[in-house]
Amino acid sequence: MISIDESDLGTPRRDSDKLVTLTIDGEEITVPAGTSVMRAAASLGTKIPKLCATEQLEAFGSCRLCLVQIEGMKGLPASCTTLVSQGMKVTTQNEKIADVRRGVMELYISDHPLDCLTCPANGHCELQDMAGAVGLREVRYGYEGENHLNLGKDTSNPYFTFDASKCIVCSRCVRACEEQQGTFALTIQGRGFDSKVSPSQNESFMDSECVSCGACVQACPTATLSEKSLISMGQAEHSVVTTCAYCGVGCSFRAEMKGEEVVRMVPNKDGHANHGHSCVKGRFAIGYATHTDRILKPMIRAKISDPWREVSWQEAISHAASELKRIQAKYGRDSIGGITSSRCSNEETYLVQKLIRAGFGNNNVDTCARVCHSPTGYGLKQTLGESAGTQDFDSVMKADVIFVIGANPTDGHPVFASQMKRRLRQGAKLIVADPRRIDLVKSPHITASHHLKLFPGTNVALINSLAHVVVTEGLVKEDFVRARCEVDSFEKWRTFVALERNSPEAMESVTGVPAAEVRGAARLYATAGNGAIFYGLGVTEHSQGSTMVMGIANLAMATGNVGREGVGVNPLRGQNNVQGSCDMGSFPHEFPGYRHVSDDTVRHLFETTWGVGLQNEPGLRIPNMFEAALDGEFMGLYIEGEDIAQSDPNTQHVTAALSAMECIIVQDLFLNESAKFAHVFLPGSSFLEKDGTFTNAERRISRVRKVMQPKSGYADWEITQLLSNAMGYPMNYKHPSEIMDEIAKLTPTFTGVSFKRIDELGSIQWPCNDAHPNGTPTMHVDEFVRGKGRFLVTEYVPTREKVNAKYPLILTTGRILSQYNVGAQTRRTENNVWHDEDRLEIHPHDAEERGIADEDWVGVRSRAGETVLRARVTERVQPGVVYTTFHFPESGANVITTDNSDWATNCPEYKVTAVQATRVSQPSAWQKNFRDFTEQQESLLKAAEAVSVK
Ligand code: SF4
Ligand code: SF4
Ligand code: SF4
Ligand code: FES
């Protein structure tokens, strides 16, 4: 049985250098100043009854159950809102206190349905527990008078219900929504007896501003707010701590289980990345893991026009291996390769790249980070010396100015966004650089000091003009630069950014941002104290993505904003393990730990440990694989957990390349878009079915723990191992912990990492080695990883993607809170109620010019292709810019994106596509073909399932 949180000490922890000693029930205790009497008592093991207090929220003092007696104070003060003081003498129990507490409980219970035995909270209801704790034996008031027992239920949210008849108006939900989530969707309306919890203006939860994070559900001490899964399944029997498999925040959860079924996911309050908070995806959107669309049997076919044939694991693996060997014999050793995934664990990713390097004998391994954060790896390595963010998330609580560039944290990284918003409500300043008015620009109690609404594709022009202000207005932290950076490179950079052509005034016509705004933002960032930069794909997915990352690092170094808490350069990583998949050597030119394959010493280390000779030349990147396939030179591909046919740019080019290959092996949960071009399908496992680790955006390595057996019989790492053995390269791991041990042995930044050590510490931020046995929350503290920080000149080079009369608008793309990337997971959950199709956002001015009204079908045509989306006319986007999400394959967002890419890493320029938009009445030719092809592939799949049922 999972019970209520016994370790809840009632009010939040306080940190203070000043200590206070007091006596509670005759026992002395010393606690930090600012601690509540309730928490001090709980630290001594004395649990004072409470209802409105929880350590996740600030004390409120409304229920009056926690009253105590304090020598020298009048009456009975509430222990949750009374702070300790030196020499205080507290009594937590006597007859008078007990009487008052019973009286309070009696009033609550007299207006509460007594259906405890059938209530979903039975066994973990704090009201029930408190009735027991205060020794309530009778309720004298009867139930005849006015009460709330007949109030209705709000079941509008797909994941939880609100049963007003059970509400004790403790306002924990309201405070959770404000303090933890920062949405302010709930209020207490009315007074006294009439007070009630109300989403927005008396709306249903579904119609309100609620973003379904579930914080209120978790905070509720009664069954008023309850998960629907808990209501239907009953209380869990055991729980396992694991890590969310959605985004790069990496929230820790307790999966509460009944046998092998998940009853609910409860955010882990000891989770270092999330501190007990979550978003709608991690807490609720896990239904995909058991969705009927999952394919659980291996399948093979000779051609993609053939029906699939279900086969044994043995047949599937030996067929896959023999095909790969056949292709190598015919086309050469380098004619095959593989793609790892940021959805998969470190151990799985490591194994795939090992299979390719050691088993396939080439370096043709790449990962989906190619299309998102590869410029981060390159840009930060060049300047700071390490391909990762510099801080932990908690560092934001010490920032004085937060600069968000090309990221939309409330949609993309919601739990971190809530933490960031908490800091902003405390008074930190905010600068946002984004072509679109993201929610953060103006949200409850937060207004950005500057919204730099730049034109897509002009990031580098903007960063140079910000740097120009810093350099020319004497805002450089000279001491820091002299002590910590390469002075020559700094001088070169200073001279460059000081050029008049980089001034905000000169750049205004390029970026579209008024020069005064740029000057104001630069001054604020450089002078407000601790300046922290957070950036996302709006920085990296450009032809100058790497240049912009370097530009950001330059600016941070010049202003001394690196190397301590509250500052830094922080890429908000998209997927759960995108940091890890890069760390694990998924790129064709690098072994694990970002070491080049041409480095003889490093390669020799891997050769010795893996017992095989390795190539010393980089292999093919994903776009090169496509080109080689179309040239008839690259004919076999192993894809684990990645859907390149939907997520890579210029879809028609990608599908042509996939169609050209002779053997595509897809290892995944579903028949995704790439699997429709596959010849072998190996059913993968969800994060609930395997052990391993994920590394989040903070470099934090956390455990993923198996809560159920793999539904297809094998965890993903086991499938890769089977394939490797069949290819003739032996692998004999018994458990993923052995894979991590090998990673630690071969990778200097991971030397101290093991499953045991992670279990001891909860999570570890790499580097973790002899010098940093507990990991490294803040990097580059005394010196940069590369020694001296290096400034690089970042000349602005306009993208080749130009608007003209034929393509007068710029399309840019992004994500929405309820869906996740290609949508393979979230589209198979109730999250569709919030977003069931991708829309084209268009400014009213552009819409009117084209005769487009809200909801109209709009043809979006670029130099690469055309698709049709429904219009959303909105001022969120600026004139000349249109925007869409890309969560549904039939939207074809990547049919229109082009082949342009980052000069250094080939990361596609998803964020800048010149398009025309016109009102249309039918789907595009591509969409019609897509539907026909999908229908055909689904019927070929059904054929396999029908044979299997017989
Ligand atoms: S819904 Fe729950 S948390 Fe909110 S006021 Fe009612 S009892 Fe308290
Ligand atoms: S689910 Fe989250 S956003 Fe919605 S009301 Fe509750 S706390 Fe607020
Ligand atoms: S913020 Fe990211 S990691 Fe956390 S619950 Fe949401 S999707 Fe999962
Ligand atoms: S717990 Fe202190 S007043 Fe409610």
Side-chain angles (χ1 to χ4, degrees), residues 244 246-251 253 278-279 281-283 413-415:
C244 177
Y246 277 113
C247 87
V249 178
C251 294
F253 279 90
S278 76
C279 81
K281 294 188 286 282
R283 190 192 293 256
H413 302 83
V415 165

Side-chain angles (χ1 to χ4, degrees), residues 331-582:
Y331 298 97
R333 185 178 62 167
D334 296 339
S335 61
I336 63 171
I339 296 176
T340 72
S341 169
S342 303
R343 320 293 303 139
C344 293
S345 69
N346 286 320
E347 295 71 18
E348 289 159 354
T349 311
Y350 174 86
L351 230 50
V352 170
Q353 63 88 35
K354 179 174 178 181
L355 161 68
I356 291 158
R357 296 187 204 282
F360 293 5
N362 63 47
N363 286 322
N364 292 336
V365 56
D366 209 353
T367 178
C368 46
R370 168 74 52 218
V371 298
C372 67
H373 268 287
S374 48
T376 287
Y378 183 81
L380 295 185
K381 182 101 182 171
Q382 293 294 314
T383 46
L384 311 181
E386 191 55 273
S387 301
T390 60
Q391 313 294 125
D392 60 0
F393 290 142
D394 287 350
S395 159
V396 78
M397 298 312 285
K398 298 210 168 131
D400 299 304
V401 56
I402 297 170
F403 192 177
V404 178
I405 311 177
N408 183 3
T410 50
D411 283 79
H413 302 83
V415 165
F416 175 61
S418 291
Q419 187 174 26
M420 183 189 274
K421 288 202 284 186
R422 216 170 300 141
R423 181 62 188 155
L424 292 168
R425 290 197 303 275
Q426 288 172 358
K429 299 283 183 239
L430 173 67
I431 306 167
V432 173
D434 201 293
R436 192 167 158 265
R437 196 187 66 229
I438 57 170
D439 285 347
L440 203 56
V441 170
K442 188 148 184 42
S443 58
H445 306 285
I446 293 166
T447 305
S449 302
H450 300 277
H451 177 197
L452 311 177
K453 213 193 266 186
L454 75 173
F455 207 59
T458 63
N459 283 336
V460 174
L462 180 71
I463 205 83
N464 287 346
S465 59
L466 288 160
H468 177 91
V469 179
V470 169
V471 160
T472 57
E473 294 191 9
L475 305 177
V476 169
K477 284 275 180 319
E478 299 283 350
D479 294 357
F480 181 91
V481 171
R482 302 276 156 216
R484 300 281 310 269
C485 303
E486 284 177 359
V487 175
D488 286 0
S489 71
F490 170 71
E491 292 301 347
K492 223 185 260 173
W493 173 79
R494 183 208 291 260
T495 308
F496 162 72
V497 290
L499 295 172
E500 186 47 34
R501 67 181 153 91
N502 287 320
S503 71
E505 289 71 19
M507 283 296 178
E508 187 172 315
S509 60
V510 174
T511 62
V513 185
E517 280 288 326
V518 176
R519 287 197 177 271
R523 288 171 195 146
L524 179 62
Y525 172 70
T527 62
N530 285 342
I533 297 179
F534 297 90
Y535 71 87
L537 303 183
V539 160
T540 54
E541 289 177 343
H542 287 84
S543 58
Q544 279 202 292
S546 293
T547 316
M548 180 61 180
V549 173
M550 294 186 238
I552 289 173
N554 290 338
L555 188 67
M557 288 189 291
T559 52
N561 277 314
V562 192
R564 62 180 188 279
E565 281 188 291
V567 299
V569 176
N570 304 285
L572 291 175
R573 302 291 194 146
Q575 310 214 53
N576 53 331
N577 199 34
V578 65
Q579 180 68 56
S581 73
C582 298

